[in-house]
Amino acid sequence: MHSFGYRANALFTFAITILALVCAMASLSDSLNSPSPSAHVQVLNINWFQKQPNGNDEVSMTMNISADLQSLFTWNTKQVFVFLAAEYETPKNSLNQISLWDGIIPSKEHAKFWIHTSNKYRFIDQGRNLRGKEFNLTMHWHVMPKTGKMFADKIVMPGYRLPEEYR
Amino acid sequence: MGWIGETIDSIKSIQIRQLLTQAVSLGMIVTSALIIWKALMCITGSESPVVVVLSGSMEPGFKRGDILFLHMSKDPIRAGEIVVFNVDGREIPIVHRVIKVHERQDGEVDILTKGDNNYGDDRLLYAQGQLWLQRHHIMGRAVGFLPYVGWVTIIMTEKPIIKYILIGALGLLVITSKD
């Protein structure tokens, strides 16, 4: 009953149980945090707007993105993945989501940022629906924990519109 | 003789009744592990409820050896979610983030993915000429995360000798244990 093997086994089991419990508590403590992030995006310029040879519309734009995501960080946060997506509806598609820019925020100190950028990923429609199209810009974020459950949320910013003509 | 002598003695002294008891308790352990796995499959709705991250393409979020818990529901797939997908002609599933979604009125969906740590999108990883992932390629989406635990399986698949030593040692322990 009191051999080395039994004692080692009991100690190991106890250690694993406590570790699992601490991980679960760390993950649960995240839900006590009620964040209040803010975001603001300004479309400064449509760099070009044209029809690709295969018939799909493509647009390139320059944007000013500012956000304050500091309140998302807790002690169990490893990083926050943030991205800006253009969302719109077309006759064929009930939803189009196109990621335009994304970034990884490693710590709370970097969570209040301001960036001037053109779209990182190509803004291509499935078809020729982009002329005069109204779209939403949505700031999404995914909180990656050190351990446990992942969280995600978004801010929708409506009322953006593409030009009527190719340029 | 010490430990080895004791072990040999205890093997010699095994009686048939004791052997049966041990066989049953071993069977119980194996069966309950299987039950837990199958129950997880039912709850999460995913073929493999737990996956181990094998590549560094999602760093610094997920490193090699981390474990992801998957969930497969009827909810539509949206940009930003981390999905596990199987590409035709590839055996190993890939864990990457959705960056583009085109959902048609009838619910059919075109998805483009990218690894956070990769420079470009995943079209190079897809089958030749494939531009989009469809719903049936998706095995599940990641909902939870546990670091480092997956190293156990990585080590066991890459160094099978360790697996056999471990199984052998456990087997010996079960046979020689007295209660």
Side-chain angles (χ1 to χ4, degrees):
Chain A
M1 265 320 268
H2 298 286
S3 69
F4 174 75
Y6 278 106
R7 284 182 177 164
N9 187 11
L11 189 67
F12 182 71
T13 314
F14 185 64
I16 291 289
T17 315
I18 294 295
L19 195 64
L21 211 66
V22 170
C23 286
M25 271 159 56
S27 179
L28 281 176
S29 74
D30 269 351
S31 52
L32 299 177
N33 184 36
S34 49
S36 54
S38 65
H40 183 73
V41 179
Q42 206 180 353
V43 176
L44 297 176
N45 186 33
I46 304 293
N47 302 329
W48 44 266
F49 183 21
Q50 60 195 30
K51 190 171 73 178
Q52 289 184 323
N54 61 17
N56 292 335
D57 280 351
E58 177 170 5
V59 60
S60 164
M61 55 172 91
T62 305
M63 292 163 295
N64 222 340
I65 306 167
S66 60
D68 180 0
L69 304 177
Q70 282 173 317
S71 57
L72 293 174
F73 280 81
T74 68
W75 68 317
N76 189 33
T77 306
K78 180 198 268 180
Q79 62 165 28
V80 171
F81 182 88
V82 58
F83 69 102
L84 186 75
E87 298 179 350
Y88 58 95
E89 199 178 329
T90 56
K92 188 179 140 207
N93 293 341
S94 58
L95 176 72
N96 298 278
Q97 284 186 309
I98 295 174
S99 184
L100 299 181
W101 170 86
D102 62 17
I104 293 169
I105 306 171
S107 68
K108 195 168 185 167
E109 288 75 53
H110 298 92
K112 192 169 182 175
F113 60 91
W114 178 93
I115 187 170
H116 178 94
T117 179
S118 60
N119 51 323
K120 184 172 162 187
Y121 305 114
R122 298 173 75 181
F123 188 166
I124 305 174
D125 183 42
Q126 281 191 331
R128 282 173 292 178
N129 311 298
L130 288 187
R131 273 171 299 173
K133 176 59 82 181
E134 274 202 34
F135 63 102
N136 293 343
L137 282 175
T138 308
M139 176 81 86
H140 294 258
W141 57 86
H142 283 239
V143 180
M144 286 197 188
K146 291 209 168 86
T147 178
K149 193 176 181 308
M150 295 187 265
F151 289 90
D153 208 349
K154 62 187 175 182
I155 297 178
V156 181
M157 290 163 278
Y160 296 87
R161 181 186 273 275
L162 287 168
E164 298 287 344
E165 295 302 323
Y166 295 126
R167 60 173 82 164
Chain B
M1 281 294 276
W3 185 72
I4 298 170
E6 272 174 39
T7 310
I8 293 169
D9 282 346
S10 67
I11 291 175
K12 277 182 190 159
S13 68
I14 288 174
Q15 269 127 37
I16 193 80
R17 185 179 292 234
Q18 199 189 344
L19 195 76
L20 277 175
T21 323
Q22 270 154 4
V24 167
S25 61
L26 189 68
M28 291 287 274
I29 293 168
V30 172
T31 327
S32 53
L34 199 68
I35 289 172
I36 291 171
W37 181 252
K38 289 284 173 190
L40 270 178
M41 269 171 93
C42 289
I43 294 165
T44 62
S46 176
E47 266 175 71
S48 53
V50 176
V51 291
V52 177
V53 179
L54 294 175
S55 79
S57 63
M58 286 295 280
E59 277 189 38
F62 304 143
K63 292 193 182 65
R64 191 170 147 80
D66 293 345
I67 273 191
L68 295 180
F69 296 93
L70 303 189
H71 186 74
M72 189 69 194
S73 60
K74 290 269 189 293
D75 297 343
I77 290 158
R78 290 289 174 257
E81 290 175 342
I82 297 161
V83 294
V84 180
F85 59 92
N86 254 321
V87 177
D88 308 325
R90 267 175 183 269
E91 271 180 36
I92 299 168
I94 302 173
V95 184
H96 278 175
R97 192 185 295 276
V98 176
I99 61 165
K100 290 185 187 182
V101 171
H102 294 283
E103 190 175 68
R104 279 184 282 285
Q105 311 286 1
D106 58 9
E108 267 300 301
V109 68
D110 282 340
I111 297 162
L112 182 66
T113 55
K114 175 184 173 288
D116 288 358
N117 198 28
N118 291 354
Y119 182 72
D121 62 41
D122 285 350
R123 291 215 166 115
L124 289 172
L125 297 175
Y126 297 167
Q128 190 129 39
Q130 184 181 3
L131 291 179
W132 305 98
L133 290 179
Q134 265 81 41
R135 185 81 202 201
H136 65 266
H137 293 112
I138 310 288
M139 288 169 62
R141 71 190 92 194
V143 289
F145 169 77
L146 204 60
Y148 306 120
V149 183
W151 272 112
V152 182
T153 54
I154 291 185
I155 289 168
M156 282 209 239
T157 33
E158 285 182 0
K159 297 252 187 327
I161 185 89
I162 292 178
K163 182 167 63 184
Y164 297 133
I165 291 172
L166 213 66
I167 292 172
L170 281 178
L172 209 67
L173 221 71
V174 170
I175 291 170
T176 57
S177 68
K178 289 203 181 80
D179 44 15

